[in-house]
Amino acid sequence: MLVWHPRSALGLLRTRLRQGPVWLAMAAAQHGIRLVHVSSDAVFSGARVHYDESCLPDPVTPYGAAKAAAETGILAVHPEAAIARTSLIIGHGRSAHEQTVYQLAAGTRAGALFTDDVRCPVYAGDLAAALLELASLETAGIHHLAGADAVSRFELGTLIAGRDGLDASRLPAGLRAGSPLPGALDVRLDSRETQKKLRTTLRGVREFCTKP
């Protein structure tokens, strides 16, 4: 059993994001090994906002295109593999998103949290448990593992600040539309079909950021 989660990269590593998972999938298929590949909501443009497992990728960034290509390549060489698309991963203060909130609240970082950039954050513990479950099942193809709540990056920041005792009023807000940053604005992964297969509940961020 293998769970493969390549990290975000630039330049040459974009090629490895496409090719590395496919090479691994070829080896897994050859030896009859179960493979779960962790992908991203970056494979979508946000044009239709709501995306379930039947939606075809339409990436607008090189990273999203690399992830979409990896998905296609994996399923081509290992049709029994599972693809698990997820969204922003929130843990216990160690994720990049949480660190950004801490730095903005402390005034040690410039920038803003966008009010028009919407995702479905997932709790790291829920995601890990769901991936282990998915690895134990025989289901193949595309699966969505995202939280139940769609929130903006600014709302996510205020929830993290409230959970960790920070002054949310210090968090600067802004708009991503019109900024030079590439990528989709509003991408909401619909995980209901995958959730039906799992015992693990993929909680929404409004729940896991306010309850132990």
Side-chain angles (χ1 to χ4, degrees):
M1 178 182 71
L2 295 173
V3 177
W4 175 246
H5 186 185
R7 294 181 179 275
S8 174
L10 297 172
L12 178 61
L13 292 184
R14 287 189 182 126
T15 300
R16 294 180 180 174
L17 279 176
R18 295 192 299 270
Q19 297 179 351
V22 177
W23 293 335
L24 184 63
M26 292 174 64
Q30 182 180 359
H31 296 284
I33 298 173
R34 173 71 168 157
L35 175 67
V36 177
H37 172 79
V38 180
S39 189
S40 166
D41 58 11
V43 301
F44 296 121
S45 69
R48 60 175 295 163
V49 179
H50 299 276
Y51 294 89
D52 62 22
E53 289 87 346
S54 68
C55 295
L56 296 177
D58 60 340
V60 292
T61 64
Y63 174 73
K67 298 294 273 185
E71 291 182 4
T72 301
I74 288 168
L75 292 178
V77 300
H78 193 352
E80 296 178 354
I83 305 294
R85 294 179 183 142
T86 192
S87 191
L88 305 182
I89 302 172
I90 306 301
H92 298 281
R94 294 187 294 271
S95 73
H97 319 293
E98 289 160 295
Q99 290 296 313
T100 296
V101 171
Y102 299 159
Q103 293 162 10
L104 288 172
T108 59
R109 175 175 179 154
L113 296 174
F114 298 129
T115 58
D116 59 346
D117 187 332
V118 178
R119 297 294 187 273
C120 295
V122 64
Y123 176 59
D126 294 346
L127 177 60
L131 286 170
L132 286 173
E133 271 199 75
L134 194 58
S136 70
L137 301 174
E138 296 183 358
T139 181
I142 303 297
H143 300 77
H144 284 180
L145 298 178
D149 296 333
V151 297
S152 70
R153 301 225 181 208
F154 180 77
E155 184 178 357
L156 173 61
T158 61
L159 287 168
I160 291 171
R163 181 198 66 185
D164 295 341
L166 305 176
D167 184 358
S169 68
R170 294 180 57 86
L171 296 176
L175 292 174
R176 183 169 180 172
S179 78
L181 293 175
L185 286 179
D186 195 339
V187 177
R188 309 182 189 199
L189 291 187
D190 184 342
S191 304
R192 288 177 293 180
E193 282 303 310
T194 298
Q195 180 68 85
K196 293 175 183 177
K197 305 173 185 177
L198 303 174
R199 296 186 304 274
T200 300
T201 299
L202 297 166
R203 295 172 294 166
V205 64
R206 296 187 184 96
E207 179 179 354
F208 69 71
C209 265
T210 56
K211 296 180 180 179

